[in-house]
Amino acid sequence: MRKDIHPPYGPVVFRDKSAGFAFLTGSTATSEKTVEWEDGRTYPVIDVEVSSASHPFYTGTAKVLDTAGRVERFERRFGAR
């Protein structure tokens, strides 16, 4: 790999404020805000809108659309032309 062309890689905390969920991982993303983690060290923190703790697919609150019923209702209403 060529030197001095890659962004620095280090530990970052991603925090989902809506779910009260945070996780520490490695990333090239950085932030001016910091947070003290469970191990007593301070890490940059990035607030995210959606994580696995708040996304409907992962929480089991996703709604399944009945597309077959909608097509049949449309054909009954307007007729198959």
Side-chain angles (χ1 to χ4, degrees), residues 18-41:
S18 64
F21 177 70
F23 58 95
L24 177 66
T25 187
S27 177
T28 58
T30 186
S31 174
E32 297 294 323
K33 295 188 286 184
T34 60
V35 67
E36 187 173 329
W37 191 243
E38 299 160 354
D39 61 2
R41 295 182 182 173

Side-chain angles (χ1 to χ4, degrees), residues 5 11 16 22 31 54 58 61 74 78 81:
I5 64 166
D16 183 352
S31 174
S54 63
Y58 294 107
T61 59
F74 178 83
F78 300 106
R81 295 182 183 161

